[in-house]
């Protein structure tokens, strides 16, 4: 897996320079014609290699913030920069989603008609790599998450923990520099939750990836280098407010 | 895994539904193959009959009636004088019921005319002279009329003898009772009358020249119409009707196919809404999603088309062998028709996928995080 | 003004009642005229089934001369060989019907008025059926409309004395799609259905296939025409005992 890194870092640096990974000011997001204000002015800066946990009660806006960072949705107001460039203003958001970030969902979201190794290959279709290379890459990613013996299994034949490991491998498919995780252990028993969290943190450390993890579990948040607490669409506290 | 694997997996997600849709398209395309194949086969066998007789131009007066109207055989003489005409042959072609059988083609040919040359004797012989009271039968006619060499055959009030069975090289020829023109004119009291003139043009004329020659003939004899051989049947009311019917029915079948595929693809898109959102969230471009849906429906069309061509061809073959139809059908199941049918089916698939593809591309990637 | 209004009212109310009678008459006259089409020659295949279920096929030729004043018909059997030459000459002039049957080689039989109801060559048609033109009868009425095989038809009732015939006329093509003949008691004796309509040599619509049922005897006959030629020339001898023997078609 290590062989992806130099290539990617080079590309990232040439594309986006060495600015902060995310720089957010006055970010607002409304739903339902403004009746629901999910984000009410969020200011935030995240640097390369940080592990940031975003916590808060249900409906506080933490998942919405993650969606904005992942360019899955666009904000109504405020600025959102990725490495110095406006994220909503990017011409090719699909390329950003495919290559710059990896997303891990609470409910794994594997496609049921594809095997583990095929699921991992799905994001690689946008990368122009030949089929054989895609497959080799997917197998090595599955090995890295400890699933080399399950590569040809369909999701229904995998346990919850195994599915999430496949999802993690998929998020790493194109060698992203940022990992966005939305309650990644929310659907797992405590033992599996522990394994998955360790895996994500290991990957973050080994590859100096920026990790933004949304959770309502304070014990998980406690393992982050920085914890942001949200309430009613605003940041309530940030233990790294200096940055 | 290639992108094609993704397409196939999409269709295999609901195998029963995909299967039923395929059956639907297949039946539609089978209808196209069968109906168009039969009607074109009819036209082609007619034109083949003309070609078999070595005919470039046919002069007749094909109205709404079953057989062409008779005219004076002297009309032929005025045509002979035209340049670029190598040979002419006067015929009296009648559609009449013979003994206990239904309508049969009776083809009376000018004695010594070139229309006799293309007949290959399977058994027996040809008439010895213009007035010998004998006929030769096309192979299918012999089968339908249940006649063999030496059998008597009654045409109008006259009993004639079957002396030959021939292969005329085309369905129309093989379904005919063939005899000499003067004999038939006498039997049917049509002395001096013919209703078809077959014309052989001088060699080396192209399609355009033939058409020009037809126009010249039409000016010369307003009583009848000259047409390039093969166009002849295409201009008859009955054929036009059959052709329109077969295309109309086919169009209906195709529309039903479009709706079937569209329904399946819409259902697929609705059902896979979240999956599509996940694909968008992990970086797929909208164009790729559109391509995926369109290729899935095109593949449905392709498979349905291939299935339809197979069902249609088998159906026509079965139909051909049915006793009531045997010998009357010579369907045109050319590779061209099959390719066109499959192409229609693929186009149907792509058209049906357009709306579902557009719908799927409008989905928001953020929906992936819900549920 | 008042009288003018009542005049209009009368005219409007009176229209349907007064219009129906001439309409039916006009239609019948038109149909009768189509039958009285001069000299013609026809070829017909007759497939019959007797009450016992036995089947037979005859090839016939018909020489006919129909005018408003008289009708002359000569039916001749061409095939099968054993019946070839059998012929029936039927004539009607001024309401009088007469007929002669010829069986080769030389047996002639004159038909009496009572024998006109007998079967033509053993079919479900009687001699009178092919001879009479009920469209010329005095009483003609349109008694309704009915859709037969997706064809909208006017039902024309023709009466003469106690005889009654109803015909279902396809008004677009002016072809009877069904004819039913009734006994004075009102029971149907004959039903003739048109199965196929085509164009003849004068581009007129004519029934080319007929299915006939004798509802009393339980027999059925199908007629399939393969040729109809108008404007042929006959001489008077063709419709005499001598003509009965002449099997040649007209020129």
């Amino acid at each position: 897996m290590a062989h992806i890194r130099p290539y990617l870092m080079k590309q990232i640096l040439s594309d986006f320079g060495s600015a902060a990974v995310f720089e957010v000011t006055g970010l607002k997001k409304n739903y339902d014609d403004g009746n629901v204000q999910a984000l009410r002015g969020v200011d935030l800066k995240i640097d390369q290699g940080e592990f940031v946990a975003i916590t808060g009660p249900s409906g506080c806006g933490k998942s919405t913030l993650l969606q904005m960072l992942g360019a899955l949705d666009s904000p109504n107001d405020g600025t959102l920069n990725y490495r110095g460039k406006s994220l909503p203003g990017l011409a090719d958001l699909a390329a950003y989603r495919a290559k710059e970030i990896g997303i891990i969902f609470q409910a794994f979201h594997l496609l049921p008609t594809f095997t583990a190794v095929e699921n991992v290959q799905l994001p690689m279709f946008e990368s122009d790599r030949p089929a054989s290379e895609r497959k080799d890459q997917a197998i090595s990613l599955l090995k890295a998450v400890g699933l080399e013996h399950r590569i040809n299994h369909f999701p229904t034949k995998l346990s919850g923990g195994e599915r999430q490991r496949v999802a993690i491998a998929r998020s790493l498919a194109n060698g992203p520099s940022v990992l966005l995780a939305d309650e990644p252990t929310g659907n797992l028993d405590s033992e599996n939750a522990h394994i998955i969290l360790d895996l994500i943190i290991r990957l973050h450390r080994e590859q100096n990836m920026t990790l933004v993890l949304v959770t309502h579990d304070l014990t998980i948040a406690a393992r982050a280098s920085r914890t942001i607490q949200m309430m009613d669409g605003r940041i309530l506290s940030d233990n790294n407010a200096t940055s | 895994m290639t992108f094609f694997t993704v397409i196939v997996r999409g269709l295999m997600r609901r195998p029963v539904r995909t299967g039923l849709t395929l059956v639907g398209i297949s039946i539609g395309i089978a209808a196209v193959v069968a109906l168009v194949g039969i009607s074109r086969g009819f036209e082609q066998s007619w034109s083949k009959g003309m070609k078999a007789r070595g005919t470039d131009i046919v002069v007749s007066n094909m109205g709404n009636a079953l057989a062409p109207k008779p005219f004076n055989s002297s009309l032929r003489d005025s045509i002979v004088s035209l340049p670029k005409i190598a040979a002419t042959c006067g015929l009296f072609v009648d559609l009449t019921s013979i003994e206990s059988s239904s309508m049969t083609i009776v083809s009376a040919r000018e004695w010594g005319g070139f229309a006799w040359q293309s007949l290959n004797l399977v058994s027996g012989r040809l008439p010895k002279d213009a007035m010998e009271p004998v006929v030769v039968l096309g192979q299918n006619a012999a089968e339908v009329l249940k006649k063999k060499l030496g059998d008597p055959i009654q045409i109008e009030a006259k009993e004639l003898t079957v002396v030959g069975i021939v292969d005329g090289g085309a369905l129309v020829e093989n379904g005919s009772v063939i005899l000499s023109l003067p004999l038939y004119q006498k039997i049917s009291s049509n002395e001096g009358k013919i209703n078809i003139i077959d014309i052989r043009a001088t060699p080396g004329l192209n399609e355009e020249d033939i058409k020009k020659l037809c126009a010249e003939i039409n000016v010369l004899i307003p009583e009848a119409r000259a047409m390039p051989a093969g166009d002849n049947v295409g201009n008859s009311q009955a054929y036009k009707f059959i052709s329109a019917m077969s295309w109309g029915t086919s169009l209906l079948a195709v529309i039903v196919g479009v709706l079937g595929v569209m329904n399946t693809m819409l259902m697929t898109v609705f059902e896979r809404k979240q999956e599509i959102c996940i694909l968008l969230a992990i970086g797929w471009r909208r164009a790729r999603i559109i391509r995926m849906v369109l290729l899935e429906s095109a593949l449905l069309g392709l498979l349905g088309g291939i299935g339809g061509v197979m069902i249609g061809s088998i159906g026509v073959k079965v139909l051909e062998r049915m006793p009531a139809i045997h010998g009357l059908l010579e369907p045109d199941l050319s590779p061209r028709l099959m390719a066109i049918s499959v192409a229609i089916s693929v186009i149907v698939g792509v058209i049906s996928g357009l709306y579902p593809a557009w719908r799927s591309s409008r989905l928001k990637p953020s929906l992936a995080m819900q549920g | 003004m008042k009288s003018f209004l009542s005049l209009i009212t009368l005219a409007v109310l009176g229209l349907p009642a007064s219009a129906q009678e001439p309409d039916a008459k006009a239609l019948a006259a038109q149909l009768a005229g189509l039958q009285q089409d001069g000299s013609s020659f026809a070829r017909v295949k007759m497939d019959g089934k007797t009450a016992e279920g036995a089947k037979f096929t005859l090839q016939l030729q018909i020489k006919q001369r129909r005018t408003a004043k008289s009708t002359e018909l000569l039916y001749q059997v061409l095939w099968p060989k054993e019946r070839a030459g059998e012929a029936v000459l039927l004539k009607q002039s001024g309401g009088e019907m007469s007929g002669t049957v010829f069986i080769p080689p030389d047996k002639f039989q004159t038909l009496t008025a009572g024998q006109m109801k007998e079967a033509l060559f053993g079919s479900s048609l009687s001699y009178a059926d092919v001879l009479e033109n009920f469209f010329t009868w005095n009483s003609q009425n349109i008694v309704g409309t009915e859709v037969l095989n997706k064809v909208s038809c006017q039902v024309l009732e023709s009466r003469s004395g106690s005889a009654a015939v109803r015909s279902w006329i396809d008004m677009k093509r002016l072809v009877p799609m069904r004819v039913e003949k009734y006994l004075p008691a009102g029971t149907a004796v004959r039903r003739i259905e048109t199965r196929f309509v085509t164009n003849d040599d004068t581009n007129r619509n004519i029934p080319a296939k007929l299915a006939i049922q004798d509802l009393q005897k339980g027999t059925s006959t199908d007629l399939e025409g393969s040729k109809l030629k108008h404007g042929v020339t006959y001489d008077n001898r063709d419709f005499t005992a001598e003509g009965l023997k002449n099997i040649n078609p007209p020129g």
Side-chain angles (χ1 to χ4, degrees):
Chain A
M1 191 162 50
H3 66 280
I4 323 163
R5 303 302 306 159
Y7 156 77
L8 250 156
M9 284 311 291
K10 198 175 146 200
Q11 192 189 351
I12 289 162
L13 290 175
S14 66
D15 283 0
F16 296 101
S18 54
V21 178
F22 291 112
E23 204 160 6
V24 176
T25 19
L27 199 69
K28 288 181 183 169
K29 179 66 185 175
N30 303 329
Y31 292 112
D32 197 13
D33 287 336
N35 291 328
V36 178
Q37 294 175 295
L39 295 178
R40 301 173 183 230
V42 171
D43 300 307
L44 177 69
K45 190 179 166 205
I46 299 174
D47 285 326
Q48 180 65 39
E50 268 197 287
F51 173 10
V52 182
I54 303 174
T55 65
S58 293
C60 70
K62 54 187 192 298
S63 288
T64 305
L65 179 59
L66 198 75
Q67 283 178 23
M68 299 300 136
L69 298 181
L72 303 186
D73 209 344
S74 51
N76 294 104
D77 203 3
T79 57
L80 165 53
N81 286 351
Y82 174 72
R83 298 189 193 274
K85 289 186 178 168
S86 168
L87 187 53
L90 279 184
D92 193 352
L93 282 176
Y96 167 77
R97 288 192 288 256
K99 291 169 186 164
E100 301 297 326
I101 59 160
I103 299 186
I104 304 164
F105 304 96
Q106 178 178 355
F108 328 132
H109 287 341
L110 298 179
L111 269 59
T113 47
F114 297 92
T115 61
V117 71
E118 288 166 346
N119 261 290
V120 177
Q121 290 174 71
L122 285 171
M124 300 184 205
F125 277 105
E126 298 292 350
S127 70
D128 299 332
R129 272 179 276 178
S132 59
E133 204 179 297
R134 287 202 296 260
K135 193 176 178 189
D136 292 345
Q137 169 75 357
I139 292 170
S140 69
L141 284 168
L142 284 169
K143 275 184 190 160
V145 296
L147 277 181
E148 57 268 45
H149 57 297
R150 312 287 269 172
I151 55 171
N152 288 322
H153 286 64
F154 283 96
T156 46
K157 301 288 178 206
L158 299 172
S159 72
E162 286 172 328
R163 284 186 216 179
Q164 193 59 302
R165 278 192 273 169
V166 175
I168 291 167
R170 181 181 65 186
S171 73
L172 300 172
N174 291 326
S177 64
V178 178
L179 211 52
L180 303 175
D182 183 28
E183 304 271 13
T185 58
N187 280 12
L188 300 174
D189 57 66
S190 59
E191 194 191 335
N192 269 309
H194 194 74
I195 296 169
I196 292 297
L197 192 64
D198 281 351
L199 175 63
I200 294 174
I201 293 172
R202 180 166 62 84
L203 290 166
H204 145 71
R205 283 191 187 136
E206 280 177 5
Q207 301 182 33
N208 190 31
M209 264 196 286
T210 308
L211 172 61
V212 182
L213 187 148
V214 164
T215 180
H216 64 270
D217 187 335
L218 292 176
T219 57
I220 294 172
R223 297 187 63 179
S225 56
R226 177 178 166 196
T227 310
I228 293 169
Q229 222 187 342
M230 288 187 71
M231 180 72 92
D232 294 334
R234 289 193 181 90
I235 292 179
L236 198 66
S237 70
D238 182 347
N239 64 5
N240 190 27
T242 51
S243 58
Chain B
M1 183 178 67
T2 61
F3 192 53
F4 184 68
T5 320
V6 178
I7 308 300
V8 174
R9 293 291 167 79
L11 291 177
M12 290 309 291
R13 203 171 187 273
R14 289 262 185 265
V16 175
R17 189 173 59 204
T18 302
L20 286 175
T21 312
L22 280 178
V23 169
I25 312 170
S26 297
I27 291 172
I29 293 300
V32 175
V33 170
L35 292 169
V36 176
I38 288 170
S39 78
R40 280 175 43 152
F42 180 61
E43 187 184 4
Q44 284 193 359
S45 76
W46 189 273
S47 94
K48 224 161 96 187
M50 294 301 160
K51 296 267 153 62
R53 296 208 304 239
T55 304
D56 296 312
I57 295 172
V58 178
V59 180
S60 72
N61 185 353
M62 201 78 173
N64 291 334
L66 292 169
K69 277 188 194 172
F71 47 80
N72 215 306
S73 58
S74 61
L75 285 186
R76 198 200 49 163
D77 305 331
S78 45
I79 295 174
V80 177
S81 58
L82 282 174
K84 291 181 194 163
I85 286 180
T88 60
C89 181
L91 291 99
F92 202 111
V93 176
D94 230 348
L95 208 55
T96 188
S97 95
I98 291 177
E99 299 185 355
S100 61
S101 77
S102 275
M103 296 301 212
T104 309
I105 301 169
V106 175
S107 174
R109 295 144 191 237
E110 188 182 330
W111 186 244
F114 65 76
W116 288 96
Q117 293 163 6
S118 55
L119 301 179
N120 292 318
L121 270 174
V122 174
S123 60
R125 59 171 177 89
L126 293 178
K128 282 180 186 148
D129 60 65
M131 294 312 283
E132 191 193 10
V134 296
V135 300
V136 294
L137 300 178
Q139 286 170 307
N140 292 336
E143 209 173 301
V144 171
L145 292 165
K146 300 187 187 80
K147 296 283 182 194
K148 50 188 193 311
L149 293 184
D151 281 353
I153 181 169
Q154 188 168 336
I155 295 181
E156 304 299 326
K158 180 84 176 167
E159 194 179 276
L160 307 171
T161 309
V162 178
V163 293
I165 308 285
V166 295
D167 175 7
L171 191 70
V172 178
E173 296 278 90
N174 285 339
S176 300
V177 173
I178 300 163
L179 70 168
S180 114
L181 178 64
L183 178 67
Y184 187 67
Q185 283 173 328
K186 184 159 190 293
I187 291 171
S188 61
S189 291
N190 275 307
E191 276 98 346
K193 293 274 168 66
I194 50 175
N195 62 3
I196 288 180
I197 306 169
D198 281 357
I199 295 174
R200 201 178 266 183
T202 47
L205 294 193
N206 62 23
E207 214 171 306
E208 211 43 48
D209 297 329
I210 297 278
K211 275 186 186 160
K212 261 188 219 157
L213 192 54
C214 287
E216 283 174 48
I217 297 169
N218 286 333
V219 173
L220 205 65
I221 45 162
E223 295 92 333
R225 243 179 93 70
M227 263 175 287
D231 282 12
N232 183 285
V233 68
N235 277 292
S236 93
Q237 291 291 330
Y239 175 74
K240 275 183 191 162
F241 179 72
I242 294 168
S243 184
M245 276 282 287
S246 62
W247 276 111
T249 314
S250 301
L251 187 69
L252 208 69
V254 167
I255 289 171
V256 172
V258 168
L259 294 177
V261 180
M262 196 183 282
N263 180 52
T264 299
M265 292 316 296
L266 268 180
M267 293 275 286
T268 304
V269 167
F270 287 143
E271 220 175 63
R272 283 155 60 190
K273 203 162 134 185
Q274 206 194 11
E275 275 182 46
I276 290 168
C277 294
I278 292 166
L279 289 170
L280 286 169
I282 62 173
W284 275 34
R285 289 170 207 280
R286 292 185 191 278
R288 185 174 293 276
I289 301 284
I290 290 176
R291 219 174 339 144
M292 177 181 78
V293 175
L294 284 181
L295 281 173
E296 275 183 31
S297 58
L299 184 62
L300 264 181
L302 177 73
L303 295 176
I306 293 170
V309 164
M310 276 157 58
I311 295 172
S313 309
I314 294 169
V316 168
K317 292 280 173 212
V318 169
L319 213 63
E320 230 183 321
R321 276 173 178 66
M322 277 166 67
I325 299 169
H326 187 59
L328 295 173
L329 271 186
E330 193 180 44
D332 164 35
L333 295 177
S334 60
R336 190 165 164 265
L337 174 66
M338 294 191 186
I340 288 174
S341 303
V342 173
I344 288 175
S345 189
V346 173
I347 292 167
V348 161
V350 173
I351 291 172
S352 319
L354 285 176
Y355 176 65
W358 179 78
R359 284 290 298 258
S360 65
S361 74
R362 309 298 297 163
L363 292 169
K364 279 186 171 180
S366 59
L367 292 177
M369 282 176 73
Q370 294 165 7
Chain C
M1 187 64 193
K2 199 180 167 189
S3 59
F4 179 65
L5 270 179
S6 56
L7 206 68
I8 290 176
T9 316
L10 254 180
V12 171
L13 288 176
L15 249 177
S18 60
Q20 194 165 5
E21 190 67 13
D23 260 358
K25 278 240 155 93
L27 175 63
Q30 211 175 351
L31 290 162
L34 286 174
Q35 283 206 8
Q36 294 152 355
D37 56 356
S39 299
S40 64
F41 173 74
R43 280 273 285 104
V44 170
K45 180 163 76 102
M46 176 187 272
D47 288 298
K49 203 165 113 184
T50 64
E52 295 77 40
K55 288 181 181 173
F56 64 91
T57 300
L58 299 177
Q59 288 285 357
L60 305 175
Q61 67 180 19
I62 304 166
K63 298 173 180 174
Q64 45 194 352
R65 208 150 59 164
R66 294 172 184 267
T67 63
K69 282 186 186 151
S70 68
T71 305
E72 292 161 297
L73 303 173
L74 176 56
Y75 280 67
Q76 294 173 303
V77 177
L78 299 177
W79 189 88
K81 209 174 167 185
E82 52 280 12
R83 292 187 65 179
E86 274 183 45
V88 178
L89 175 65
L90 299 164
K91 291 188 181 188
Q92 184 182 38
S93 177
E96 288 291 309
M97 291 186 186
S98 64
T100 311
V101 175
F102 169 67
I103 313 257
D106 48 17
K107 191 178 158 203
F108 288 93
Q109 183 202 338
T110 308
L111 297 170
T112 63
Q115 286 173 319
M116 293 307 284
K117 294 256 181 284
E118 286 179 7
L120 170 75
F121 299 131
S123 72
S124 306
L125 284 168
S126 69
Y127 298 120
D129 283 337
V130 297
L131 198 51
E132 74 189 358
N133 186 352
F134 44 84
F135 294 126
T136 61
W137 291 354
N138 278 335
S139 165
Q140 304 284 349
N141 281 297
I142 287 167
V143 294
T145 55
E146 202 178 321
V147 176
L148 287 184
N149 293 327
K150 294 178 187 160
V151 178
S152 168
C153 297
Q154 295 264 30
V155 186
L156 179 70
E157 189 176 78
S158 316
R159 284 181 175 276
S160 170
S162 60
V165 178
R166 277 188 181 186
S167 34
W168 281 252
I169 311 295
D170 172 358
M171 297 301 287
K172 236 168 142 184
R173 297 184 288 188
L174 275 183
V175 173
M177 300 305 288
R178 177 192 286 167
V179 172
E180 273 182 8
K181 298 192 166 192
Y182 304 92
L183 290 176
T187 46
V189 281
R190 195 91 72 246
R191 181 179 296 135
I192 303 168
E193 306 236 28
T194 300
R195 290 283 157 81
F196 181 63
V197 177
T198 189
N199 293 80
D200 68 2
D201 58 335
T202 59
N203 226 6
R204 223 173 54 176
N205 289 303
I206 50 154
K209 269 188 195 175
L210 295 172
I212 303 125
Q213 280 175 282
D214 186 321
L215 300 167
Q216 281 186 317
K217 290 184 196 155
T219 62
S220 67
T221 300
D222 289 338
L223 289 183
E224 186 181 6
S226 64
K227 202 178 287 177
L228 180 58
K229 201 155 100 180
H230 284 91
V232 292
T233 34
Y234 296 113
D235 61 37
N236 286 334
R237 275 179 303 172
D238 282 319
F239 296 95
T240 61
E242 192 187 335
L244 275 167
K245 289 181 172 180
N246 172 20
I247 203 103
N248 293 329

